[in-house]
Amino acid sequence: MKRNIVIAAVTAAALIGGGTATALATTADDGDSARQTANTRLSNDAQDDRGDREDRDDRGDHGDRGDRGDDAERAASTDVTASEAIASALKHTSGTVVSAELDDEDDSDKVVWKVDVLSGDDTWHSVSVDPSDGRVLGSQTDDEDDTAQVRVALKGSSVTAEQAVKAAAGKGVVTSVDLDDDGKNTSWETETRTSGGTERDWKVDLNTGKITADRSDDTDDRD
């Protein structure tokens, strides 16, 4: 009778723990051994479950960091504005700024302002600026195939990228500026973020500096 009770107890424990167990019990001592084996299996299963949960938590933490790493959000919390980053880049490399944005440095966790400067000899420079103090961290040359198109778009224009950033600053923290040279109406495109977290795109006229809402952005919002 005792043997049957022991076997039933071990079998039930094995089913609850999600594993299997074989019980061979002929005496009271054998029953004690079987119960010890079942308890060991349950303890191991519990440890495995805790390990799985910890792994999932770790992956979740990394995902949260990725979400918090949104460029626009990080730009709103940096000490150096887009305008200051552009000024710092131009002190290091003379030319015409075509774009500036907060970006990951070589796919790492470090974030920098990346400022693209087109020099007088048509060489493209990507200048990295520290968002905490405005220091130039480095510069590298890039190959671009739209140099002629950019030159045509900027020919005769009176509003620079830095001036466009200053014009858009009244709408929120500027997180990026870029030359829109596609189509007939060329302009500076800027993105801003308000203290409430709202992101908007704006167009700044290359000649007048007038700022208007990007209607294509409004269409995207409705979609």
Side-chain angles (χ1 to χ4, degrees):
M1 185 66 177
K2 177 177 284 189
R3 183 175 66 250
N4 293 338
I5 292 173
V6 171
I7 293 173
V10 173
T11 302
L15 291 175
I16 293 173
T20 60
T22 301
L24 297 176
T26 58
T27 65
D29 291 339
D30 289 340
D32 292 339
S33 177
R35 284 194 295 273
Q36 182 178 359
T37 300
N39 290 335
T40 300
R41 287 181 180 273
L42 288 173
S43 177
N44 290 339
D45 289 342
Q47 291 176 357
D48 291 341
D49 289 341
R50 284 196 298 271
D52 291 341
R53 286 194 297 271
E54 289 172 358
D55 289 342
R56 287 193 295 270
D57 290 342
D58 288 341
R59 290 193 296 269
D61 289 344
H62 290 307
D64 290 343
R65 283 196 291 272
D67 293 339
R68 291 195 298 271
D70 178 79
D71 287 348
E73 184 175 349
R74 288 178 291 189
S77 63
T78 58
D79 296 325
V80 176
T81 66
S83 177
E84 292 169 340
I86 290 173
S88 182
L90 287 176
K91 286 181 180 179
H92 180 273
T93 304
S94 61
T96 302
V97 172
V98 180
S99 69
E101 65 174 340
L102 199 68
D103 197 9
D104 294 337
E105 176 72 359
D106 298 327
D107 297 326
S108 67
D109 291 335
K110 184 176 178 59
V111 179
V112 298
W113 282 106
K114 287 290 185 67
V115 183
D116 289 335
V117 180
L118 178 60
S119 62
D121 60 356
D122 286 349
T123 300
W124 288 87
H125 303 266
S126 179
V127 184
S128 299
V129 178
D130 193 313
S132 63
D133 56 18
R135 289 183 302 111
V136 171
L137 301 174
S139 176
Q140 64 182 29
T141 58
D142 291 332
D143 293 327
E144 300 290 346
D145 57 5
D146 61 343
T147 302
Q149 185 175 347
V150 169
R151 289 294 189 195
V152 170
L154 292 176
K155 185 178 181 179
S157 65
S158 56
V159 177
T160 65
E162 187 175 7
Q163 291 170 331
V165 165
K166 291 179 178 179
K171 304 296 184 179
V173 176
V174 178
T175 59
S176 70
V177 60
D178 191 16
L179 177 66
D180 179 13
D181 55 1
D182 294 330
K184 183 169 58 177
N185 298 321
T186 57
S187 64
W188 291 110
E189 282 190 345
T190 63
E191 184 179 83
T192 62
R193 182 183 179 90
T194 66
S195 58
T198 302
E199 297 177 23
R200 291 297 306 272
D201 290 337
W202 307 89
K203 288 183 176 295
V204 180
D205 191 277
L206 290 173
N207 295 309
T208 65
K210 181 180 179 181
I211 182 171
T212 57
D214 188 342
R215 297 308 176 188
S216 63
D217 183 54
D218 292 340
T219 301
D220 293 340
D221 290 342
R222 287 195 297 271
D223 293 340

